[in-house]
Amino acid sequence: MIYSIDYQEIEGKKKKVLCPVKNREEYLAIRDSQRQKNIMQKIADAPTMEEKQKVKRGLIQFAYQVVPRSGDMLLQGITTANRWVMADFDHIPPEQMPQIKERLLSLKAYFGIAMIEESARQEGYHVVFRRNPDISQDENLQMLAERVGWEYDKGASDITRLFYTPTSDKLIHLSDEIFEQDEVVWTAGNYVPINDMVEIKPEQTEQKAPVEYPSTYNHQGLDIPYINIVAAYERMKGGAPKHGDRNTFIYRLSSNIRYVCDFDSDWVASVVPDYGEDRVKWRRTVENACNAKGRTAGFPLELRKALSMAADDVKGITNEGLSEIQLPAMPKRLPVLIKHIIKNTPDQCKAYVANAVFPALASYLHGVKFELVDGSLKEPNFMCICLAKTASGKSAINVPVQYIIRDIDENDTYNRAREQEWKDACGKKGANKEKPERPKDICIQHIISDLTNASLVLRLADAEQAGEKYLYCNLEELDLLKQLQTNGTKDCSKVLCLAFDCGEYGQERVGKESISKKVSMRLNFNAASTVEKGKAFFSGNMLDGAAGRINFETIYKDYTKEFRYGRYDEDYYDKLKPYIANLKLANGVIECPQAMTAAKRLSKKVQERIALFNDEVYENFGDRAVTIAHSKAMLLYIANGMTWSAEIGRFMEWSFERDMYCKSMFFGQEIQTANERENEALTKKHRGRANLLDSLDYTFSLDDVTTLAEREKTSRKAKELLAVWKSRGYVTEDEETAGIYVKTDEYMKRCA
């Protein structure tokens, strides 16, 4: 609860009295009184900051972080404590105000921010956020300040400080939670439920000194603050949890963090935020996570990823200064072809486009092969999928692709016209008349996704006959890939696997005019999707190799920066021509010792990461990611007139790291889960489901059952499970404590 300030006559003296503000309507009415509006106008008209400061003192004051005091420090009118902390970020330069505002809004869930307002003088922000009761007032403020990147006003950190409040047009964020009656009292750094308060005798006042847990974890010689590990875990999961997801999120985070907190629940509780969850429920969830069975020999995959990301944070490895996501930074010096292609691309999409243009470029190659690290021969073909948020710039690839494949489109236009002439000629012949033969040299490479299986086979056969050329498709949405019918099914895994390996594909038909052919699957494509849809697309196919054959990309769009496309013209196309000409001329087995050396170095890195970190993503995706990067280097080498450059080598290694980072970010947990299921199937026979009730303590609550049901992904809801156990006489409700359940003697004897 928050309070407005009033002055009342008490014992013959005027004293400040705190008046509870019960709801949003009352709060806004106080802020927007005519007197408030008049004062705000005077502040705007004041010629100097000193004058503005004087006028500001007439504004209404609100108290957000007060507690009951005794003696001379008594604040009249307050009877209960509240749970909020007020931070004042002042003297922010005008050009940095939008950036600070965005950071504050992005931290709403993490810190339980209930109110954000711009100060009356428009040079700072006031923030109200949920108190962490286990640390001091200044420590609460310092934690927020570190994430915001701006020092808080230490003069405004006193627990009884009041703040001058502007009109509601300066209000940026307001949660109704701020008006709720407080259920707890803040005393000496601890929350104590009001209903449980008893008279404390003098001999009971002595408390144990609080345990001071380390604030950093040493990872590979680097001290990483625990707050960085938690922040990295949040980024990995798409942000702090929202209402409804908090309990599950806290459980999973605690299950991971316990490995670097010695499985000490008090230590874990000092690290894991409550995210606005009820403190009793939050603490119980942390305890359950720390006591859960199933510890792995090494760190869980999610924790390893979070540690790696947090280490990058500490080292200052960022993606062009962006703080929300740590993607491998693009090399400053790029191969000439790539530099030219992305020169008109918005800065935030350059890395994505730099990797996504290879399917279009490779469509000019024909009959080209190169040797891999294992000695086999490979054709440099590509499939690239971008998974990113809506309106993040996924379409930035479209215009560069239009210019890259212009020559192919011109040839396709000519061949489509010839094919149509043939169709028209056939249509003019009667049913019993001999039809003209279809021209044998037709080759249409740029296809649309909506084509039958027969059409796909025909287009592949034409491209193969024209010199082992590739088909190309640019899909606006990943789901359109399902339109590529594969022998009557919509399982795309077969297409993806065959396309990567140029495997044999076809159909057998007996009809006179039906197509019966067996051809190589030479298909390059670009596709895009949102992250969740993309993950769902590949869900269930983590171990069949399809996802590993794709080059994955993403975009982090910084909304505080300008997003602007450059100008594309004939000069842009003219400068592409020499490189495209080199790709057209290439044929046969091409060798590049420098690319082979770089590929062997990457292959060694994959094996080291598998051995040292038991990294399941590298084990499943690493080798093919090396092949994809090697293929890019070979294409750039060919386009550059069979000339190697250091820029090609650096691009190859960066492309590999970025591809693996995206695969780990999108599919890491799914890979681990799939491997665990497969290992269980191979090593355990008829294991059956675990006894859920045995997983609970002798006494437990409905919340404990809810956490268990979410963890085990049970088909029944927690209340249904509890009802079944009660009906069978396995549990009974505790007679003294409502909401607590106890296992019956009959059940304990049965399971003894």
Side-chain angles (χ1 to χ4, degrees):
M1 183 172 285
I2 63 174
Y3 307 87
S4 63
I5 306 301
D6 191 14
Y7 290 87
Q8 296 181 10
E9 192 81 20
I10 299 177
E11 297 177 355
K13 296 181 180 179
K14 258 195 172 182
K15 291 190 176 182
K16 284 183 179 181
V17 176
L18 300 178
C19 304
V21 181
K22 299 176 183 177
N23 53 51
R24 179 184 291 261
E25 291 73 21
E26 183 180 341
Y27 179 71
L28 296 179
I30 295 172
R31 293 183 68 128
D32 291 335
S33 68
Q34 189 58 50
R35 181 175 181 276
Q36 281 277 101
K37 293 177 180 177
N38 293 340
I39 294 173
M40 288 296 291
Q41 187 59 51
K42 290 180 181 179
I43 293 173
D45 296 339
T48 64
M49 278 299 176
E50 291 74 14
E51 288 296 321
K52 291 180 186 291
Q53 179 68 17
K54 289 179 182 178
V55 178
K56 185 186 77 170
R57 291 170 184 162
L59 290 169
I60 188 70
Q61 294 176 333
F62 283 100
Y64 298 88
Q65 56 182 13
V66 293
V67 295
R69 297 276 182 115
S70 59
D72 295 337
M73 292 299 292
L74 178 66
L75 292 170
Q76 300 292 335
I78 185 168
T79 57
T80 60
N82 71 3
R83 56 191 172 218
W84 305 108
V85 179
M86 180 74 180
D88 185 9
F89 296 102
D90 211 355
H91 306 299
I92 303 173
E95 65 273 12
Q96 294 191 43
M97 288 284 286
Q99 183 179 4
I100 298 297
K101 174 182 172 181
E102 288 300 318
R103 288 179 185 171
L104 287 169
L105 289 171
S106 71
L107 295 171
K108 284 191 303 184
Y110 183 89
F111 282 94
I113 294 177
M115 192 277 287
I116 306 172
E117 66 183 13
E118 189 177 348
S119 65
R121 293 185 297 170
Q122 302 180 44
E123 59 174 13
Y125 296 105
H126 297 160
V127 185
V128 178
F129 64 101
R130 183 181 292 276
R131 183 186 304 281
N132 182 340
D134 301 320
I135 58 178
S136 69
Q137 170 82 357
D138 284 331
E139 287 172 327
N140 271 281
L141 290 163
Q142 187 59 39
M143 282 184 66
L144 178 64
E146 287 176 356
R147 294 294 295 273
V148 172
W150 196 265
E151 189 61 58
Y152 67 93
D153 182 358
K154 291 184 170 59
S157 64
D158 186 87
I159 197 72
T160 60
R161 179 71 63 167
L162 306 175
F163 291 86
Y164 295 105
T165 302
T167 46
S168 58
D169 60 313
K170 303 298 181 187
L171 189 61
I172 298 167
H173 167 69
L174 180 66
S175 168
D176 286 334
E177 188 179 3
I178 204 170
F179 305 110
E180 294 176 1
Q181 177 69 38
D182 295 288
E183 302 172 352
V184 291
V185 174
W186 187 66
T187 57
N190 294 293
Y191 275 128
V192 181
I194 290 175
N195 294 336
D196 294 345
M197 290 185 68
V198 295
E199 182 181 356
I200 300 177
K201 298 177 182 179
E203 61 269 21
Q204 295 176 323
T205 58
E206 184 177 352
Q207 298 182 0
K208 294 181 180 179
V211 178
E212 291 189 9
Y213 294 105
S215 61
T216 61
Y217 175 74
N218 188 278
H219 176 65
Q220 298 179 1
L222 184 68
D223 287 329
I224 303 175
Y226 281 95
I227 189 173
N228 286 52
I229 301 174
V230 172
Y233 185 88
E234 288 176 11
R235 291 203 307 273
M236 218 166 50
K237 292 299 180 181
K242 297 179 181 178
H243 181 68
D245 298 325
R246 295 170 183 164
N247 195 256
T248 301
F249 189 95
I250 291 167
Y251 183 88
R252 290 175 178 169
L253 173 57
S254 301
S255 298
N256 283 279
I257 288 291
R258 62 179 178 159
Y259 282 83
V260 291
C261 293
D262 201 26
F263 290 82
D264 184 327
S265 61
D266 290 334
W267 191 348
V268 173
S270 73
V271 173
V272 175
D274 63 18
Y275 297 107
E277 185 65 275
D278 175 78
R279 293 289 292 187
V280 175
K281 185 177 180 181
W282 160 80
R283 185 55 199 251
R284 188 186 300 123
T285 302
V286 172
E287 291 281 352
N288 290 339
C290 291
N291 296 328
K293 298 176 181 179
R295 300 183 186 182
T296 61
F299 284 174
L301 174 64
E302 288 186 340
L303 177 60
R304 295 200 303 269
K305 289 168 59 178
L307 284 171
S308 177
M309 293 168 65
D312 287 347
D313 291 342
V314 174
K315 294 174 184 175
I317 301 174
T318 62
N319 179 38
E320 300 175 347
L322 303 180
S323 60
E324 292 301 315
I325 190 167
Q326 301 301 320
L327 289 162
M330 187 166 63
K332 292 182 179 179
R333 298 184 62 181
L334 296 168
V336 181
L337 173 57
I338 298 299
K339 183 179 179 181
H340 172 67
I341 288 175
I342 67 172
K343 72 175 186 176
N344 297 326
T345 303
D347 289 344
Q348 297 165 61
C349 299
K350 286 186 184 299
Y352 152 53
V353 173
N355 279 310
V357 294
F358 283 89
L361 289 169
S363 299
Y364 284 104
L365 296 172
H366 60 97
V368 170
K369 294 182 175 64
F370 68 99
E371 186 177 345
L372 296 177
V373 173
D374 62 5
S376 62
L377 293 178
K378 174 79 170 68
E379 295 188 33
N381 51 347
F382 301 91
M383 299 171 284
C384 182
I385 297 176
C386 178
L387 303 183
K389 291 182 179 179
T390 301
S392 58
K394 296 188 286 291
S395 63
I397 186 64
N398 292 345
V399 177
V401 162
Q402 289 173 12
Y403 279 88
I404 290 171
I405 64 169
R406 179 188 284 189
D407 290 5
I408 289 176
D409 282 341
E410 289 176 354
N411 188 66
D412 285 355
T413 300
Y414 170 69
N415 280 306
R416 277 196 169 94
R418 293 175 63 212
E419 188 175 53
Q420 189 60 47
E421 288 177 5
W422 167 74
K423 289 179 181 178
D424 293 341
C426 290
K428 293 177 182 178
K429 297 289 184 179
N432 297 320
K433 299 291 183 178
E434 186 176 350
K435 305 291 177 68
E437 187 177 356
R438 181 176 181 268
K440 294 182 178 180
D441 59 344
I442 285 179
C443 176
I444 296 172
Q445 294 180 257
H446 191 181
I447 63 171
I448 58 175
S449 60
D450 189 9
L451 76 169
T452 64
N453 190 66
S455 298
L456 175 62
V457 172
L458 179 62
R459 294 287 187 241
L460 288 168
D462 289 342
E464 184 169 290
Q465 185 173 311
E468 299 181 346
K469 292 184 177 181
Y470 296 89
L471 304 185
Y472 173 74
C473 191
N474 188 11
L475 303 165
E476 290 290 334
E477 290 293 336
L478 178 59
D479 277 346
L480 294 176
L481 188 61
K482 294 178 181 177
Q483 293 181 349
L484 293 174
Q485 299 281 333
T486 56
N487 291 334
T489 72
K490 291 188 178 182
D491 178 9
C492 304
S493 295
K494 185 174 184 180
V495 170
L496 301 179
C497 293
L498 289 175
F500 185 83
D501 301 320
C502 294
E504 287 189 343
Y505 179 73
Q507 67 173 28
E508 198 75 48
R509 298 290 186 270
V510 296
K512 181 180 177 182
E513 297 182 2
S514 299
I515 296 172
S516 295
K517 290 180 182 293
K518 182 186 288 186
V519 293
S520 294
M521 176 65 78
R522 291 188 175 88
L523 173 66
N524 297 332
F525 71 82
N526 286 97
S529 177
T530 60
V531 175
E532 290 307 314
K533 284 186 177 180
K535 291 173 69 172
F537 186 92
F538 289 97
S539 178
N541 298 311
M542 284 295 101
L543 301 183
D544 69 358
R549 290 169 162 86
I550 306 294
N551 178 197
F552 282 96
E553 256 300 334
T554 192
I555 304 168
Y556 172 68
K557 187 173 181 180
D558 186 348
Y559 291 91
T560 65
K561 294 183 178 180
E562 183 182 37
F563 189 88
R564 185 177 179 81
Y565 290 94
R567 183 178 178 183
Y568 293 87
D569 52 24
E570 286 304 306
D571 181 64
Y572 180 85
Y573 171 66
D574 289 340
K575 290 181 179 177
L576 284 173
K577 285 182 178 179
Y579 302 101
I580 291 174
N582 287 335
L583 294 173
K584 290 178 180 178
L585 292 171
N587 193 261
V589 178
I590 296 176
E591 297 181 356
C592 178
Q594 298 93 331
M596 176 63 79
T597 300
K600 288 180 178 178
R601 185 164 58 246
L602 290 179
S603 185
K604 183 179 180 182
K605 180 183 289 187
V606 168
Q607 298 308 315
E608 287 176 347
R609 289 182 179 177
I610 293 172
L612 293 175
F613 303 111
N614 190 32
D615 196 315
E616 296 176 17
V617 175
Y618 272 81
E619 189 170 352
N620 284 270
F621 292 154
D623 289 338
R624 289 194 177 103
V626 172
T627 298
I628 293 169
H630 192 178
S631 298
K632 290 180 182 179
M634 291 302 298
L635 185 145
L636 291 172
Y637 172 73
I638 295 167
N640 203 39
M642 305 295 182
T643 303
W644 181 262
S645 69
E647 288 78 14
I648 294 176
R650 283 192 289 267
F651 183 90
M652 175 182 174
E653 295 195 28
W654 165 73
S655 177
F656 165 80
E657 294 290 356
R658 189 173 172 95
D659 186 26
M660 286 303 300
Y661 189 97
C662 289
K663 286 170 177 170
S664 180
M665 180 167 58
F666 297 140
F667 305 116
Q669 185 59 46
E670 287 76 5
I671 281 289
Q672 185 179 32
T673 302
N675 280 336
E676 287 172 355
R677 285 198 301 265
E678 189 173 77
N679 291 337
E680 286 182 5
L682 291 171
T683 59
K684 295 184 179 181
K685 295 182 179 179
H686 310 294
R687 181 179 66 87
R689 295 296 299 272
N691 186 324
L692 296 176
L693 189 51
D694 272 356
S695 301
L696 295 168
D697 294 334
Y698 176 67
T699 62
F700 58 90
S701 69
L702 177 60
D703 288 336
D704 295 327
V705 183
T706 300
T707 301
L708 178 65
E710 290 173 347
R711 188 178 77 230
E712 296 294 331
K713 297 180 176 60
T714 60
S715 58
R716 285 177 172 165
K717 302 293 185 183
K719 288 184 179 179
E720 294 178 271
L721 289 171
L722 194 54
V724 170
W725 294 338
K726 288 171 68 177
S727 68
R728 294 181 179 275
Y730 296 162
V731 303
T732 184
E733 190 164 3
D734 188 79
E735 296 178 358
E736 298 181 358
T737 309
I740 297 298
Y741 299 88
V742 183
K743 296 178 184 178
T744 62
D745 291 340
E746 290 76 9
Y747 178 79
M748 298 302 291
K749 290 176 183 177
R750 174 182 172 181
C751 298

